[in-house]
Amino acid sequence: VVPGSYSSWAEDTIDKSINYDVLPNVYNSADLKELATRLDFAHLSVKAYEVLTGKSVSSVSQNNFTDTKDKVINSACNLGIISGVGGGLFAPDDTLTREQAVTIIARLYLKVMGSALSTNGVPRFEDDKSISKYAKNSVYAMVKKGYIEGMGDNTFSPRDNVTKEQAIVIITRMLDSIYSHNKGMDL
């Protein structure tokens, strides 16, 4: 990661992510202040899966989508961490929204931890009706876990885009939480 390619508020978390060795190659020389793409986040999620499980994700040659042959995306799909946008498409170059990011994180959490997610006790956001039906449970479960927060004024802003540094922060919060929860256990 190139110093200065990220905001000062994210510096400590970026350093942690480097220590976790969770950053995939697509982040090496990237400006982390730029918007994350669906491809970026798929790569970051697979790397997080590998860090958390200690297992290397094998490349698959099967193409799950008609608009990408990226082996990491196809592996992430086979793991059940990501899915497409419909019509056999993944839209790898589309920007990532907040609700898409938390949906992927929730799937990653379930895949790694195998435990159910709870939304009990999480107050609803003022813009709850703006959160897509597919993402609603993931949004509130990931907020409860502390992996992502609202945007202030009790809003979530589900369709706002996520920057690369924000994506790293979300993933790193998940890693911190899982490691502190499982202290002393082999992951």
Side-chain angles (χ1 to χ4, degrees):
V1 174
V2 180
S5 69
Y6 46 88
S7 304
S8 59
W9 64 264
E11 186 172 352
D12 290 344
T13 308
I14 301 288
D15 289 344
K16 272 187 185 180
S17 70
I18 292 167
N19 288 336
Y20 281 134
D21 194 26
V22 74
L23 299 181
N25 291 338
V26 295
Y27 283 80
N28 282 350
S29 58
D31 181 351
L32 301 182
K33 296 175 194 171
E34 291 179 351
L35 295 177
T37 63
R38 290 174 49 80
L39 177 137
D40 295 331
F41 204 62
H43 279 248
L44 186 59
S45 299
V46 167
K47 190 74 169 152
Y49 174 85
E50 291 178 334
V51 167
L52 287 167
T53 63
K55 299 175 187 171
S56 186
V57 174
S58 57
S59 273
V60 294
S61 56
Q62 164 198 351
N63 284 324
N64 296 299
F65 306 103
T66 59
D67 61 344
T68 183
K69 293 181 178 174
D70 186 276
K71 291 180 189 235
V72 174
I73 288 174
N74 286 303
S75 295
C77 181
N78 286 357
L79 281 170
I81 295 171
I82 57 109
S83 61
V85 297
L89 301 174
F90 181 72
D93 299 323
D94 283 6
T95 53
L96 183 75
T97 65
R98 288 172 52 81
E99 68 182 6
Q100 290 171 338
V102 295
T103 301
I104 293 167
I105 291 299
R107 289 183 190 138
L108 176 59
Y109 178 89
L110 290 169
K111 185 73 177 174
V112 171
M113 299 303 289
S115 57
L117 293 170
S118 170
T119 61
N120 292 340
V122 181
R124 296 300 172 233
F125 289 107
E126 291 295 322
D127 57 353
D128 179 78
K129 287 184 166 86
S130 300
I131 302 170
S132 298
K133 187 178 181 180
Y134 78 85
K136 210 168 274 227
N137 191 56
S138 296
V139 165
Y140 290 109
M142 296 299 95
V143 166
K144 183 173 183 169
K145 290 274 183 203
Y147 303 165
I148 194 165
E149 300 168 352
M151 298 295 287
D153 295 333
N154 194 33
T155 61
F156 185 73
S157 304
R159 292 190 178 79
D160 281 6
N161 294 106
V162 174
T163 63
K164 289 174 172 64
E165 64 190 357
Q166 289 168 334
I168 293 167
V169 166
I170 295 166
I171 289 282
T172 304
R173 283 178 181 163
M174 184 181 81
L175 291 168
D176 282 347
S177 172
I178 291 172
Y179 279 133
S180 69
H181 181 273
N182 293 310
K183 216 173 225 164
M185 291 176 59
D186 245 351
L187 284 179

